Amino acid sequence: MTNETENMALLQEVARGTEMGKNTLEQMLPLTEDRLLRAELLEEQRGYRSLNQRAHTAIAALGGEAEGAGSLEKLGAKMGILSRTLGGRSTQKLAQMLVEGTSAGITACVQAQNSAPNASAGARQLSDELLEFQRENLQSLERFL
């Protein structure tokens, strides 16, 4: 792959991952009654939005358009949340679901980085910021388990 192709692939993964994060949090926020968990989710949502905007800007600067998460991926996530919360919406259960989703996001980001070894410093920096953000989120969420 060329550098430009790798840059675009890495940035698209950042856009997809941050979109999934902010969409999931939007669905989870109304489900939680725990004040501290709600505050954590709102903070995470702000972070995902900021990173998502930066990914969109970087992709546009390369002459592309952010693809984000596909319709089926979004629907699958939404249905997963609905089905897993039918039996209850305890703080612990919601936190566990978020830990699993964040872990999947970390894996996807690392895979994208490994697939783009020649990506530019800027693209790599943004994906590194997403990784660091997600790892911090994991640590914050663990206290709710």
Side-chain angles (χ1 to χ4, degrees), residues 112-129:
Q113 284 186 336
N114 290 343
S115 296
N118 300 312
S120 69
R124 188 157 294 279
Q125 179 183 348
L126 191 56
S127 68
D128 283 341
E129 286 181 46

Side-chain angles (χ1 to χ4, degrees), residues 16-127:
R16 190 199 67 74
T18 54
E19 185 178 319
M20 286 298 292
K22 67 186 182 104
N23 290 348
T24 297
L25 291 170
E26 190 173 303
Q27 293 170 27
M28 298 289 271
L29 274 162
L31 303 178
T32 185
E33 295 174 12
D34 185 295
R35 194 170 79 345
L36 294 174
L37 180 58
R38 176 180 279 294
E40 174 63 30
L41 300 187
L42 288 168
E43 185 65 29
E44 287 183 21
Q45 191 176 47
R46 278 190 290 277
Y48 278 121
R49 282 184 178 146
S50 173
L51 288 165
N52 185 263
Q53 288 172 344
R54 290 173 56 205
H56 278 255
T57 300
I59 290 167
L62 292 175
E65 190 172 315
E67 296 166 10
S71 297
L72 285 177
E73 189 175 20
K74 288 180 192 176
L75 181 62
K78 187 173 191 168
M79 296 308 293
I81 290 169
L82 289 173
S83 68
R84 290 186 64 187
T85 56
L86 286 176
R89 298 174 179 175
S90 71
T91 296
Q92 185 176 10
K93 183 171 191 159
L94 296 176
Q96 177 62 38
M97 291 169 60
L98 290 163
V99 163
E100 290 171 10
T102 303
S103 296
I106 289 171
T107 299
C109 194
V110 169
Q111 288 174 332
Q113 284 186 336
N114 290 343
S115 296
N118 300 312
S120 69
R124 188 157 294 279
Q125 179 183 348
L126 191 56
S127 68

